[in-house]
Amino acid sequence: MAQKRPKEHTKAQKKVKEIEAYQCLVCGTITKSAQGHHLIPYSEGGSADMQNMTTLCPSCHRKYHSGELKIDIYRL
């Protein structure tokens, strides 16, 4: 079962998308449907704050979670 995320989590996702102007880190697409993505997965103990999030478009986010796309967080 998925871990319930705190209210601060949703606020941080929204804020990071606003700061990054809804632009995908990977492909550069700008879209209001952009999604906040954890660099260190929340399910693996990653924090629910802006320092652990970036913006991905829905397509890149799906590719990341399906294993088609790798993001080297140490290069960010």
Side-chain angles (χ1 to χ4, degrees):
M1 174 179 252
Q3 202 174 355
K4 184 161 173 62
R5 297 175 180 189
K7 190 176 195 178
E8 292 78 24
H9 169 89
T10 304
K11 288 180 183 180
Q13 281 186 313
K14 182 178 178 185
K15 189 72 173 170
V16 79
K17 290 187 295 185
E18 290 171 353
I19 289 170
E20 294 178 351
Y22 298 90
Q23 185 171 14
C24 178
L25 171 76
V26 177
C27 71
T29 296
I30 298 171
T31 178
K32 288 290 185 177
S33 64
Q35 301 166 346
H37 171 72
H38 288 87
L39 297 170
I40 299 170
Y42 187 71
S43 62
E44 295 176 17
S47 63
D49 59 29
M50 288 181 21
Q51 291 75 26
N52 186 39
M53 292 189 192
T54 193
T55 303
L56 295 178
C57 71
S59 177
C60 287
H61 206 189
R62 271 190 307 278
K63 287 177 184 175
Y64 175 82
H65 285 290
S66 71
E68 295 176 53
L69 174 67
K70 303 289 184 212
I71 298 173
D72 183 357
I73 65 170
Y74 300 104
R75 297 190 74 193
L76 298 179

